[in-house]
Amino acid sequence: MTNLTNPTPGQLTDVHDMVVVHRAFRRELALAPRLVREVAPGDVARAAVIAKHIRLALTGLHLHHTGEDLLLWPKLLDRAAPSADLIHRMEEQHHRVEDVVERLPDALDRWEAEARQATGAELAATIEELREALVEHLDDEELHILPLAARHLTPTEWAALGQHGTSEMDKADLPILFGMVLEDATPQERVMMLGSLPIPVQLLLRTVGAWQYRRYVRRVRGA
């Protein structure tokens, strides 16, 4: 009989897909401050493009953390008994990230409305603050949390994390958010990330979705 609560002893669940997702957050939050600072004062049309992109990246981050809160932490707390110090540190990091994220909507709105240099500088600095907090958290998560998940969650339970994010996405955003994740993926990682999706969705993302993402990146990055 299949064990539905723990992986087979000695058998690890493949959790590398989260590393691929983290890579996208690292890249987009590194690029965003430069994109904001490059917008000419008063160019509200360009500011709207960049602001929309940043909001989409933040939506992806929200879905990622919500999935962890619902589907990862409760199981690890029940089965893996992480140390109190680790839990405390991860909670502090989450609070720090959330505190910065909560300041971004107002900063984005103010900058998008007028594209003033001062508000752009404030927005870029806030995004850099978010990236610093988030990268610290992602590093710790990859070093300490993913090994626990690999030992204590079944492949089906782990897959539910990705399925949660996909199900909660606005379907119009699906090609762009997946494009962000796949942009720096190796061929093997692309196969892994797409393999969990229904065949028609895979075909869509490999064809029309890939074209939509290339066009989107040119518009956002101006390249």
Side-chain angles (χ1 to χ4, degrees):
M1 180 179 296
T2 301
N3 187 340
L4 297 179
T5 60
N6 285 292
T8 303
Q11 180 178 350
L12 298 179
T13 294
D14 186 352
V15 297
H16 182 70
D17 55 337
M18 187 170 286
V19 176
V20 182
V21 172
H22 287 179
R23 194 183 299 151
F25 291 134
R26 287 185 169 97
R27 183 193 64 243
E28 294 306 324
L29 290 178
L31 289 171
R34 175 179 62 80
L35 294 174
V36 170
R37 291 188 175 108
E38 287 178 350
V39 173
D43 189 350
V44 293
R46 178 66 179 159
V49 171
I50 304 306
K52 182 178 180 181
H53 171 68
I54 294 169
R55 291 189 184 99
L56 185 60
L58 293 175
T59 295
L61 180 61
H62 171 73
L63 293 174
H64 179 67
H65 277 174
T66 300
E68 290 179 342
D69 291 340
L70 292 173
L71 301 171
L72 178 59
W73 280 109
K75 292 181 177 65
L76 289 184
L77 288 169
D78 180 53
R79 301 173 191 173
S83 73
D85 286 345
L86 176 59
I87 294 296
H88 182 62
R89 185 165 74 250
M90 298 298 287
E91 288 177 339
E92 281 188 339
Q93 291 170 355
H94 257 206
H95 291 319
R96 183 182 170 201
V97 169
E98 289 166 3
D99 286 346
V100 183
V101 168
E102 287 175 0
R103 287 160 32 208
L104 278 169
D106 179 64
L108 280 164
D109 289 346
R110 288 187 288 110
W111 176 66
E112 183 180 7
E114 298 179 352
R116 292 177 58 242
Q117 189 170 13
T119 52
E122 175 191 344
L123 174 61
T126 305
I127 295 169
E128 287 170 341
E129 185 181 349
L130 171 60
R131 181 177 183 274
E132 180 182 350
L134 183 63
V135 166
E136 178 187 354
H137 174 66
L138 299 182
D139 286 348
D140 260 1
E141 196 167 70
E142 290 170 9
L143 183 62
H144 300 293
I145 299 302
L146 292 190
L148 292 177
R151 292 197 298 271
H152 294 283
L153 269 70
T154 67
T156 299
E157 291 170 335
W158 183 257
L161 274 165
Q163 292 162 1
H164 168 82
T166 301
S167 67
E168 294 295 318
M169 288 178 192
D170 185 321
K171 295 303 179 278
D173 294 335
L174 185 64
I176 306 306
L177 287 170
F178 259 90
M180 288 183 190
V181 170
L182 297 176
E183 181 175 339
D184 294 326
T186 66
Q188 294 80 8
E189 289 170 342
R190 293 176 68 87
V191 170
M192 172 187 64
M193 299 302 292
L194 291 170
S196 62
L197 301 171
I199 295 298
V201 178
Q202 290 186 42
L203 293 174
L204 176 67
L205 293 176
R206 291 179 187 275
T207 55
V208 176
W211 172 80
Q212 287 179 330
Y213 184 68
R214 288 194 298 270
R215 186 177 65 169
Y216 176 85
V217 165
R218 286 195 298 270
R219 186 177 184 214
V220 169
R221 298 180 193 165

